[in-house]
Amino acid sequence: MKANRYVLWGMTKSTLIHVFLMSVALTCLFPLFWMIRCAFMTNETVFIDQGLIPHDLNFGNFALAWTKGNFAVYFFNSVIYTVCVVAGIVLIASLAAFSFSRLKFPGKNIIFYMFVAAMMIPLPGSFVALFVMMNKLHLVNTRFGYILCMINVGLSMSILLLKTFFDRMPHDLEDAARIDGCSKIGIWWNVALPLARPAIAVIVIFNSLNVWNEYILAFLLLGDSKLMPLQRGLMVFQGANSTDYPVLMAGLTMAAIPIIVVYLLMQKHIVKGLSSGAVVG
């Protein structure tokens, strides 16, 4: 009798937890569903058609947003910025983390703690300093200046994550590589980086989301429409199409879908990467 009561309580508890989690998931997914739904409607039916699926699908909103809204340029810019920034962060952060973890040099701990302390500064709090520096270097309204600033934004977290991972890397692997003739750079490239792939996957995901969704820094540094990333271009597009909701929603959908797909494809690496530092090798 007690066993049956225990099983019944366990099933009830599990059901309540799943119902709660499904409710939270639906609450988060509904705005995305509403956005995609409105993207296939017309301006006349967007507030009239109450069906979950529009009766008449209008695919022309995407073509109109792509051409009229200059989304081709914005999308291309965001892809360039995301690829360059993520590649730069992975390269610099992995080298810095490997140095902090495996090398001995004066001031190592002080420099590392400075990187950690930078994580406590709110991102908007550093934008003014970045803008002043970029202005003095004449890199305002340039792709290179924006890429450098975004790399700077993502370095601290990436270095901390990779250093924690490298600290747990067995010294035997490093000694074996040194016996085989590897230099410090060779050990970093042939041993440390392959073992750190789960952590690197986490860095790639988080920084891709950060760069793709960045708006404030792009607003400060980029004034030329030919250089604007997608989120900055969206605000310009919204100002010109604030009353054309279906076209605006089509633009928002095109901005959201790529990063959602990337996240869904790589989501399994997040937990794996955050937890794999406990066991390396």
Side-chain angles (χ1 to χ4, degrees):
M1 188 66 179
K2 290 184 178 180
N4 293 335
R5 189 175 300 175
Y6 178 79
V7 172
L8 180 61
W9 165 247
M11 294 177 60
T12 304
K13 182 179 178 181
S14 177
T15 301
L16 291 175
I17 292 175
H18 281 82
V19 169
F20 172 75
L21 293 177
M22 289 178 63
S23 301
V24 174
L26 289 175
T27 303
C28 296
L29 291 175
F30 179 77
L32 179 64
F33 169 76
W34 187 85
M35 177 184 71
I36 298 175
R37 171 182 173 274
C38 292
F40 290 98
M41 304 177 73
T42 63
N43 210 31
E44 291 75 19
T45 61
V46 66
F47 294 115
I48 299 175
D49 191 346
Q50 301 298 324
L52 292 177
I53 300 176
H55 295 292
D56 298 320
L57 297 180
N58 182 18
F59 294 93
N61 293 327
F62 292 91
L64 190 60
W66 187 262
T67 55
K68 179 183 175 182
N70 207 24
F71 267 70
V73 175
Y74 300 148
F75 192 91
F76 178 71
N77 288 337
S78 286
V79 171
I80 291 178
Y81 295 145
T82 302
V83 171
C84 292
V85 170
V86 171
I89 289 175
V90 170
L91 177 63
I92 298 173
S94 61
L95 285 170
F98 185 79
S99 300
F100 288 134
S101 177
R102 296 293 171 169
L103 303 183
K104 295 181 179 180
F105 54 90
K108 179 179 74 171
N109 292 332
I110 295 176
I111 298 174
F112 175 70
Y113 291 141
M114 289 176 63
F115 276 105
V116 175
M119 296 177 63
M120 296 183 288
I121 302 175
L123 292 181
S126 63
F127 287 166
V128 175
L130 286 174
F131 178 81
V132 172
M133 183 174 64
M134 290 296 106
N135 190 38
K136 291 183 178 180
L137 294 174
H138 305 288
L139 292 177
V140 175
N141 207 30
T142 63
R143 296 185 191 275
F144 185 64
Y146 180 70
I147 290 172
L148 285 180
C149 289
M150 290 306 301
I151 290 176
N152 174 77
V153 169
L155 273 182
S156 296
M157 183 274 291
S158 303
I159 290 175
L160 178 62
L161 181 61
L162 282 173
K163 181 183 181 300
T164 303
F165 194 94
F166 290 148
D167 285 343
R168 298 178 180 274
M169 187 175 72
H171 287 275
D172 294 342
L173 297 176
E174 186 177 353
D175 295 337
R178 190 178 292 110
I179 292 175
D180 290 339
C182 284
S183 61
K184 292 293 184 182
I185 294 295
I187 296 173
W188 164 75
W189 179 257
N190 295 300
V191 178
L193 281 186
L195 290 176
R197 281 182 295 181
I200 291 175
V202 174
I203 292 173
V204 169
I205 292 171
F206 280 114
N207 285 289
S208 296
L209 291 170
N210 186 36
V211 178
W212 192 269
N213 294 322
E214 178 56 44
Y215 169 74
I216 300 178
L217 190 58
F219 178 79
L220 290 175
L221 293 179
L222 302 175
D224 189 347
S225 60
K226 296 181 180 179
L227 302 177
M228 291 179 182
L230 201 52
Q231 302 303 324
R232 176 72 177 96
L234 271 174
M235 297 304 296
V236 176
F237 182 68
Q238 181 187 15
N241 299 271
S242 57
T243 58
D244 196 348
Y245 295 104
V247 177
L248 180 60
M249 293 302 164
L252 291 171
T253 301
M254 287 190 292
I257 292 300
I259 203 65
I260 291 175
V261 172
V262 171
Y263 181 80
L264 291 177
L265 291 176
M266 302 185 70
Q267 63 174 332
K268 63 180 181 180
H269 296 290
I270 294 179
V271 175
K272 182 181 178 181
L274 292 174
S275 61
S276 60
V279 179
V280 181

